[in-house]
Amino acid sequence: MVRKIRFSITLGLLLAFFAAPQAQSVRYTELPQNIIEDRLRQFAGTDPVRAATIKKLFQEAGCVGDNLRELPVERAEAPNVVCALPGESDQMIIVGAHFDYIPAGNGVADNWSGASLLPSLYQSLSAERRRHTFIFIGFTDEEEGFIGSRAYAGRLTQDEVNRIQAMINLDTLGLGPPQVWVSDSDPELVKAITAVAVEMQLPVGGMNVDGFGDSDGRPFNDRNIPVLTLHSVTPENLNILHTDKDNLSAIKSKDYYDSYRLIVRYLATLDAARGNSSSSPER
């Protein structure tokens, strides 16, 4: 997440629950907290080392063969790391997080916290048949101007764009309870995550970070793809980012695990609820 500053709190976010569809029965595997935390602890190394670690974690989670790829990115030392979970249709849900960081600290919150969740989310969803094809992407060089996500989004054909039902962007989790960047997210996706949070009795807030920075959802927004960005940045913890305070001790264990639990159920809910191409939102 790139540093500037202006925050606003969306106090009406929880009211969106009442306008959301009734929650559907969803199925997924919830991994134990020790696995989530073990993957978080594997943050060490340069960007190329982190890319290799993400690939290794995907392999350990069961993403292998042609479903796991490294995509070289021009002007980046490390590739994008892409894991596909094929579904029953060619409609897609993308889940992305950048793994690069500012070397002033260890970049655990920003953004190994998001990147290291990707293999766990894959593993949690892969035990059940999915309607959608899920694409999990570890992006390189977000801190240099979204180089990895711009490269990926820019290569999408219009047909692929039309088949993407949602792009869920994870950037800086675990500094506190999860926050939705409401002003930069698709309203229907916001309603859905609010409904899931209320159902699970988990906290979720609306914290807009317009003017603070931007994130890897931007290139997908530019392609008119529905995006939701989830983070944990507030005025109280802003001083952690891009400093030597961004280390493992900055992560609040319960908030981080609750974020994983919310995200995996949210993805399973989207898979059950998002329509096919005939009922896709107008773009």
Side-chain angles (χ1 to χ4, degrees):
M1 194 170 275
V2 183
R3 293 197 63 169
K4 303 176 205 169
I5 188 161
R6 183 169 80 248
F7 292 87
S8 62
I9 301 174
T10 302
L11 297 176
L13 175 58
L14 289 179
L15 297 178
F17 167 69
F18 299 104
Q22 291 295 314
Q24 299 191 27
S25 176
V26 295
R27 300 182 65 164
Y28 57 93
T29 300
E30 188 172 285
L31 300 180
Q33 188 167 354
N34 67 294
I35 291 179
I36 304 303
E37 292 184 347
D38 177 69
R39 290 170 176 170
L40 179 67
R41 285 191 290 267
Q42 298 184 49
F43 60 84
T46 62
D47 292 348
V49 170
R50 284 186 165 199
T53 301
I54 289 292
K55 182 178 180 181
K56 174 182 71 74
L57 291 176
F58 271 130
Q59 290 170 330
E60 292 174 356
C63 186
V64 295
D66 292 341
N67 290 329
L68 181 60
R69 297 175 294 154
E70 295 182 6
L71 299 182
V73 176
E74 187 177 357
R75 297 188 293 121
E77 290 186 30
N80 287 335
V81 181
V82 182
C83 164
L85 175 59
E88 294 178 347
S89 77
D90 61 0
Q91 304 298 296
M92 292 182 284
I93 296 174
I94 292 177
V95 188
H98 74 91
F99 56 77
D100 65 303
Y101 69 108
I102 298 297
N106 292 319
V108 179
D110 184 14
N111 181 39
W112 191 249
S113 64
S116 67
L117 274 190
L118 298 175
S120 297
L121 296 170
Y122 168 89
Q123 186 173 352
S124 296
L125 294 174
S126 62
E128 301 286 340
R129 295 181 66 183
R130 297 293 157 195
R131 291 177 56 195
H132 296 77
T133 291
F134 279 85
I135 309 294
F136 298 90
I137 312 172
F139 292 118
T140 189
D141 279 23
E142 184 264 4
E143 302 287 4
E144 301 300 321
F146 330 119
I147 290 174
S149 54
R150 285 193 188 281
Y152 188 90
R155 293 171 185 160
L156 293 169
T157 66
Q158 190 57 49
D159 176 65
E160 289 171 326
V161 168
N162 293 340
R163 291 190 281 111
I164 297 172
Q165 298 291 295
M167 189 278 174
I168 311 304
N169 178 43
L170 311 177
D171 194 342
T172 312
L173 302 172
L175 297 178
Q179 306 286 336
V180 178
W181 186 354
V182 179
S183 64
D184 205 52
S185 295
D186 177 78
E188 294 303 315
L189 294 177
V190 174
K191 290 178 186 178
I193 198 168
T194 307
V196 172
V198 172
E199 178 192 10
M200 297 182 74
Q201 298 184 348
L202 290 174
V204 67
M207 181 62 70
N208 295 328
V209 290
D210 308 82
F212 165 70
D214 215 333
S215 190
D216 284 314
R218 175 61 50 213
F220 294 87
N221 263 325
D222 291 344
R223 296 296 305 269
N224 208 22
I225 293 168
V227 171
L228 181 133
T229 292
L230 196 65
H231 64 96
S232 65
V233 179
T234 68
E236 291 72 30
N237 60 39
L238 171 64
N239 65 337
I240 292 172
L241 302 190
H242 297 184
T243 74
D244 59 5
K245 297 178 182 179
D246 188 354
N247 53 47
L248 194 59
S249 65
I251 302 297
K252 297 179 179 179
S253 181
K254 182 180 186 302
D255 289 331
Y256 187 60
Y257 188 60
D258 282 349
S259 296
Y260 155 73
R261 293 178 58 226
L262 173 65
I263 295 164
V264 71
R265 187 171 185 89
Y266 177 53
L267 294 176
T269 301
L270 288 182
D271 182 53
R274 295 296 276 184
N276 58 30
S277 57
S278 63
S279 58
S280 297
E282 292 293 329
R283 299 185 182 172

